[in-house]
């Protein structure tokens, strides 16, 4: 694989968690200019919130052409890999903190024929993924403590974004470096300059009267150097 991080084409991934669930089809239509749709699956155990499962994702798949970036914030995620693959996930990201056998879980995702990602909570160091980085195409750096949308961006996590980008370069891996939590136009450029190649934005996009305009503005901010 080619080394390095591509910061010339940062992906914007609206998080469905912040959408109006009474008008999901309209919400999806409003973000069709995005690159990915980020789908936060929460079980009330690993994080103190419950969101949705594979049934919702499967229902959305026929009406949305975006790349489905599925983020499992659940314990023992390896039990549900087949369910989310069947639902239409293009990538399944699991938390290093939630897997009893992280290496094995990532192998199962790869064997299922979808892309694999690994996520880190704010208090978890980048060394937790060093020995599995070759099994993934994405490292997700949580920029809030996971569980709820609308939280304040933790600027100190940018150091970890830089470390993730450095790890990819040092290991000669082409990885996406994704950030999730409190991200919007005000800090999109900051995240990109730290090495992020994908930005998850929920509240900033879906609670705006002009979601497409926010997506466009975030792209512009990532290109400012």
């Amino acid at each position: 694989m080619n080394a390095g991080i591509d910061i010339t084409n940062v992906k914007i991934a609206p998080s469905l968690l912040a959408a109006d669930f009474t008008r999901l089809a309209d919400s999806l239509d409003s973000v069709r200019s995005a690159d990915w749709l980020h789908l936060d699956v929460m079980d009330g155990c690993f994080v103190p919130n419950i969101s949705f499962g594979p049934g919702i994702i499967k229902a959305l798949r026929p009406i949305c052409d975006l790349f489905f970036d599925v983020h499992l914030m659940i314990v023992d995620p390896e039990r549900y890999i087949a369910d989310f693959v069947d639902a239409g996930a293009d990538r399944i990201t699991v938390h290093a903190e939630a897997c009893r056998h992280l290496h094995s879980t990532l192998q199962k995702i790869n064997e299922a024929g979808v892309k694999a990602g690994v996520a880190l909570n704010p208090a978890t160091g980048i060394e937790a993924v060093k020995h599995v980085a070759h099994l993934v195409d994405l490292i997700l750096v949580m920029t809030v403590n996971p569980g709820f949308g609308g939280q304040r961006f933790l600027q100190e996590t940018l150091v970890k974004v830089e470390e993730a980008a450095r790890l990819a370069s040092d290991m000669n891996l082409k990885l996406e470096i994704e950030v999730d939590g409190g991200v919007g136009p005000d800090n999109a450029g900051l995240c990109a300059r730290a090495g992020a190649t994908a930005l998850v934005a929920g509240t900033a996009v879906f609670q705006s009267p002009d979601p497409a305009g926010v997506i466009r503005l975030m792209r512009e901010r990532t290109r400012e150097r």
Side-chain angles (χ1 to χ4, degrees):
M1 303 176 81
N2 294 325
I5 299 297
D6 180 10
I7 59 173
T8 63
N9 184 30
V10 175
K11 286 83 174 175
I12 307 298
S15 172
L16 189 73
L17 191 65
D20 182 349
F21 273 62
T22 67
R23 301 171 61 249
L24 279 183
D26 291 339
S27 294
L28 291 178
D29 188 58
S30 73
V31 298
R32 62 184 181 275
S33 61
D35 300 284
W36 303 341
L37 182 67
H38 191 78
L39 298 145
D40 287 309
V41 178
M42 306 178 184
D43 63 359
C45 294
F46 180 66
V47 293
N49 194 10
I50 297 174
S51 59
F52 49 81
I56 291 291
I57 295 172
K58 192 168 189 174
L60 296 177
R61 183 72 281 183
I63 63 171
C64 183
D65 294 330
L66 293 176
F67 181 96
F68 274 18
D69 183 36
V70 177
H71 177 194
L72 300 186
M73 288 179 270
I74 64 177
V75 296
D76 297 330
E78 60 274 8
R79 295 184 297 167
Y80 303 101
I81 291 169
D83 295 320
F84 286 102
V85 171
D86 180 65
D90 292 301
R91 178 190 296 111
I92 296 175
T93 296
V94 297
H95 271 260
E97 306 90 351
C99 297
R100 299 184 188 188
H101 304 289
L102 179 59
H103 191 282
S104 174
T105 300
L106 295 172
Q107 282 184 318
K108 288 179 180 178
I109 297 172
N110 286 323
E111 290 166 1
V114 299
K115 294 179 180 295
V118 60
L120 298 173
N121 284 340
T124 304
I126 196 68
E127 64 276 2
V129 300
K130 180 177 180 180
H131 298 293
V132 296
H134 63 290
L135 294 174
V136 303
D137 85 308
L138 175 142
I139 295 174
L140 169 54
V141 176
M142 292 300 302
T143 46
V144 299
N145 288 298
F148 295 92
Q151 296 187 65
R152 181 183 62 84
F153 180 85
L154 299 176
Q155 191 156 331
E156 59 268 27
T157 58
L158 288 174
V159 173
K160 197 188 304 181
V161 176
E162 295 172 350
E163 291 172 345
R166 193 176 308 118
L167 175 69
S169 178
D170 290 346
M171 294 185 67
N172 197 35
L173 297 172
K174 187 174 182 179
L175 300 178
E176 299 283 2
I177 308 299
E178 186 174 49
V179 294
D180 180 4
V183 178
D186 290 345
N187 52 29
L190 197 64
C191 292
R193 287 191 292 274
T197 66
L199 310 180
V200 176
T203 302
V205 173
F206 281 115
Q207 294 189 15
S208 164
D210 182 15
V214 174
I215 292 169
R216 183 170 58 252
L217 179 58
M218 288 181 66
R219 283 206 179 96
E220 291 171 358
R221 293 286 172 84
T222 65
R223 293 166 185 154
E224 296 172 356
R225 293 290 180 263

